[in-house]
Amino acid sequence: MSEHRSTDGRRSVVRAIVRCFLATVLSGSCFDPLCDSEAQRVTPEAQQIFMDATEQAGITWRQFAGESPDRFLIETMGGGAAFLDLDGDGLLDIFCVNGGETPRGKSSSPVRNALYRNLGNGKFEDLAAKAGVDRIGFYGMGVAVADFDNDGFPDLYVTGFPFSALFHNNRDGTFTDVTEQAGVRNAERWAASAAWFDFDRDGLLDLVVTNYAQFSFADEKKCEIGGVRAYCAQTSYIGMPLTLFHNEGNGRFADVSAHSGMAKLVGRALGVVAVDVNEDGWTDLFVARDASANLLLINQKDGTFQDVGSEAEVAYDAAGVAKAGMGVDAGDVNEDGRPDFVVTNFNDQYHSLLVGAGSGPYNDQTVASGLARLTKKFVGWGAHFIDFDNDGNLDLLIVNGHINPAIESTRMNVKYKEPPLLLRNDGNTAFRDMRERAGKVFRSNYSARGLAIGDWNNDGRADAVFTCLNGPPVLLKNISEPENSWIGFELQGTTSNRDAIGAKITVEADRRKLVRWMTGGSSYLSSHDKRVLVGLGPVSAASNLRAEIRWPNGNVQKLTELKPNRYYHVVEARPAP
């Protein structure tokens, strides 16, 4: 009996190895539990990391892409999502950007955005129409949330084609379209992502917009895959420059794209993240571009920016090829105190992990980290560093989805709808796919695009929401058992911009230093919880927990005698005269 069972076991192992080999050859990754000694079999949903809370929350809105026989590329690219506390009640609400109609892609009902108010009991109600942000009059793409006038309430910048819109929060649950008087229409441009940041440290948030490509519904491009009408490659479209708006402080913005040098940076730009790259106290930009060189724009402190992407070795891959960059995020993935970057790309290119190395070029850790193997067959969009288990190591959440439904007729290992990825950082900058434990959503397939991160139930565990083409968004609730401690910071600038975008937070706990930034933008078309959540690992309440905040204007503020497992509202101390 024992010999028979042993033989069966050996046969099972052999079969698993064969399955793994075939899967690896075909797709570059293996999902069989026996292929990874650390992988676990599917556990009951109640014991998994994330649950799909969409239906339970009452979210029924659906994105409309205007998909048509004309196959306009814009139909494949939207839309964004955002977490924001619209009414200051301490609960994160959700905004989702709809697409729009195309000449032959018409909707049976009005195309509307969604604004879901968090009721605090796991339920949400859609207030978009009442708030005045449901209709935008153009093809919608992304959203950037920030308090641009420092009045304590978040405002919305919605990107799209052929223009974009700025909605001012009236502090009563409604918004007013102030696009024209603010001067931020960005007319005749296909705008993708946007990021708020204070590039001149005057305490007012400025706005950078990534413009994708020259586009017109009158310019019909025709391409085929296997004899079937398909979307043309991005290289069929000529790129556009970035737009930079300077906040003048009177409700108006000035277009300073030419003076800043951004008007000459032509390419197909998509994702953007604002973070201080070189530790000089001035916020810089990383821009992910599609079949155009990525940009690393260093703030010159005089209103101009210098692109050092090539010197930093983040513009191209090792073969000198510009990848199809979509989403981007910044975070300290290896605990050296410097920002590293993740960039999502097209299938067969791998999503990129670029690790900072001081003053020298970035190290491409895509292969060494396992990201190449885990992402080879996917087309990536939204991406964000997320410490889902609060162990202090930054993990990755990435959403994927191909653009061409016809791809499955020509590729066995590439699908149109693809699963999201939850990748756990082992503390040595090596990632492991948590598919078997992450939750049912991560074993399902979607045409996902925008991804936003936020703790929408205030339990100290990072949650998420992502949008899908022609379908409902997916709201994720982190239901993992809390084994580690955490601490959260809600920053309020005084001489700095009120949202404290550009701030650096260093937390010290049990001889460990954890660095996080209040970034602008990041991911793809989306905006995130303005609070900074820091996983601490197994830290006790008696630990000597302290933090240092370097505010966007350079002020440094120290916090001592902190306690874990709570959020702190920190107001910037005014420097002594």
Side-chain angles (χ1 to χ4, degrees):
M1 179 70 74
S2 62
E3 181 179 346
H4 177 71
R5 294 207 322 239
S6 176
T7 301
D8 284 349
R10 286 195 296 272
R11 287 175 179 166
S12 296
V13 171
V14 171
R15 284 195 295 269
I17 292 172
V18 171
R19 287 197 303 271
C20 178
F21 173 76
L22 291 175
T24 304
V25 169
L26 291 174
S27 67
S29 62
C30 177
F31 288 138
D32 195 291
L34 288 173
C35 185
D36 185 342
S37 60
E38 289 190 271
Q40 301 182 34
R41 296 187 181 276
V42 178
T43 55
E45 196 69 23
Q47 299 176 25
Q48 297 194 359
I49 298 167
F50 287 101
M51 67 169 283
D52 183 348
T54 314
E55 183 177 351
Q56 181 182 14
I59 294 175
T60 58
W61 173 89
R62 296 176 66 89
Q63 195 265 1
F64 181 79
E67 184 176 334
S68 71
D70 302 311
R71 292 296 190 253
F72 292 109
L73 189 59
I74 199 170
E75 300 167 9
T76 72
M77 306 287 278
F83 280 116
L84 71 157
D85 184 0
L86 72 95
D87 50 8
D89 65 353
L91 298 171
L92 288 180
D93 312 299
I94 299 171
F95 181 76
C96 295
V97 182
N98 218 325
E101 295 183 325
T102 60
R104 291 200 290 167
K106 302 301 183 182
S107 174
S108 59
S109 58
V111 179
R112 300 181 183 275
N113 302 321
L115 178 60
Y116 280 98
R117 182 173 179 267
N118 189 339
L119 300 179
N121 57 357
K123 304 286 187 182
F124 290 75
E125 63 173 339
D126 192 353
L127 300 179
K130 180 180 177 181
V133 293
D134 58 328
R135 305 295 297 274
I136 52 177
F138 56 89
Y139 194 103
M141 288 290 294
V143 56
V145 177
D147 179 7
F148 78 84
D149 58 352
N150 293 331
D151 68 352
F153 287 79
D155 310 299
L156 300 171
Y157 187 73
V158 181
T159 62
F161 170 83
F163 50 89
S164 302
L166 177 62
F167 292 93
H168 178 256
N169 191 325
N170 297 322
R171 298 182 283 181
D172 60 0
T174 67
F175 291 77
T176 297
D177 186 339
V178 296
T179 309
E180 296 302 328
Q181 52 265 50
V184 291
R185 196 166 188 257
N186 200 40
E188 303 305 320
R189 294 191 169 189
W190 175 0
S193 297
W196 295 97
F197 74 123
D198 182 6
F199 73 79
D200 57 355
R201 303 206 326 182
D202 65 352
L204 299 171
L205 287 174
D206 312 301
L207 179 67
V208 63
V209 183
T210 65
N211 300 302
Y212 184 62
Q214 296 180 23
F215 179 78
S216 169
F217 286 122
D219 181 16
E220 185 181 341
K221 302 180 186 298
K222 297 182 179 180
C223 298
E224 293 183 348
I225 293 181
V228 178
R229 183 71 180 269
Y231 295 101
C232 291
Q234 74 280 69
T235 50
S236 301
Y237 296 82
I238 299 172
M240 293 287 287
L242 306 174
T243 305
L244 182 63
F245 293 108
H246 177 256
N247 190 337
E248 301 288 282
N250 55 2
R252 294 193 57 81
F253 291 75
D255 187 337
V256 295
S257 306
H259 173 73
S260 68
M262 293 190 188
K264 64 183 180 182
L265 300 173
V266 176
R268 290 169 287 269
L270 288 174
V272 58
V273 62
V275 66
D276 182 6
V277 172
N278 56 0
E279 282 290 304
D280 66 352
W282 294 71
T283 306
D284 313 298
L285 298 171
F286 189 112
V287 181
R289 301 202 298 181
D290 190 4
S292 305
N294 294 330
L295 304 174
L296 186 59
L297 303 178
I298 301 301
N299 192 330
Q300 301 300 295
K301 310 176 190 178
D302 59 0
T304 67
F305 290 79
Q306 180 182 358
D307 177 27
V308 299
S310 293
E311 299 92 315
E313 298 185 8
V314 299
Y316 306 94
D317 68 7
V321 175
K323 291 185 177 183
M326 266 79 91
V328 61
D329 192 26
D332 182 11
V333 75
N334 60 349
E335 286 190 37
D336 66 353
R338 293 186 288 262
D340 312 304
F341 297 97
V342 60
V343 183
T344 54
N345 300 297
F346 214 72
N347 61 270
D348 300 326
Q349 294 183 342
Y350 323 128
H351 304 346
S352 302
L353 181 66
L354 306 167
V355 177
S359 58
Y362 278 72
N363 294 320
D364 190 333
Q365 296 288 314
T366 305
V367 174
S369 67
L371 204 58
R373 173 177 58 86
L374 295 167
T375 65
K376 178 182 179 181
K377 66 179 181 179
F378 299 128
V379 176
W381 301 91
H384 208 283
F385 289 111
I386 173 176
D387 186 1
F388 72 85
D389 55 0
N390 285 332
D391 66 353
N393 302 319
L394 287 180
D395 314 301
L396 274 173
L397 180 55
I398 301 172
V399 297
N400 307 290
H402 210 279
I403 67 168
N404 269 312
I407 190 64
E408 296 181 26
S409 66
T410 61
R411 292 286 300 268
M412 291 178 57
N413 64 324
V414 178
K415 303 299 182 183
Y416 175 59
K417 292 187 176 183
E418 300 172 338
L421 294 172
L422 181 65
L423 307 179
R424 184 177 186 272
N425 182 352
D426 69 355
N428 296 304
T429 321
F431 292 98
R432 177 166 66 91
D433 192 347
M434 300 299 291
R435 177 178 185 266
E436 306 300 339
R437 287 193 52 223
K440 185 178 179 180
V441 166
F442 296 85
R443 299 187 296 275
S444 304
N445 298 316
Y446 304 89
S447 296
R449 294 298 185 264
L451 168 71
I453 303 299
D455 180 11
W456 59 264
N457 58 351
N458 292 333
D459 65 354
R461 289 172 288 184
D463 309 303
V465 64
F466 63 87
T467 60
C468 301
L469 286 182
N470 298 307
V474 177
L475 179 64
L476 292 174
K477 179 182 178 182
N478 191 330
I479 58 172
S480 59
E481 292 297 324
E483 298 178 354
N484 295 308
S485 297
W486 57 275
I487 190 169
F489 299 93
E490 181 181 18
L491 303 183
Q492 179 181 326
T494 52
T495 57
S496 299
N497 68 85
R498 188 180 176 104
D499 281 348
I501 293 173
K504 176 184 177 182
I505 301 174
T506 304
V507 176
E508 293 187 49
D510 289 347
R511 293 178 293 182
R512 189 180 185 187
K513 265 188 186 179
L514 299 164
V515 177
R516 303 290 185 264
W517 292 267
M518 175 58 73
T519 60
S522 88
S523 189
Y524 174 75
L525 306 179
S526 299
S527 205
H528 316 277
D529 192 346
K530 290 295 187 288
R531 298 171 299 180
V532 176
L533 181 61
V534 184
L536 301 173
V539 168
S540 69
S543 299
N544 183 19
L545 186 59
R546 55 194 183 277
E548 178 184 281
I549 300 170
R550 189 188 69 195
W551 294 89
N553 65 6
N555 293 339
V556 175
Q557 190 170 344
K558 296 183 182 295
L559 307 174
T560 59
E561 299 182 1
L562 301 174
K563 300 298 180 185
N565 304 323
R566 65 189 66 184
Y567 281 103
Y568 285 88
H569 181 94
V570 183
V571 178
E572 179 183 11
R574 295 183 181 273

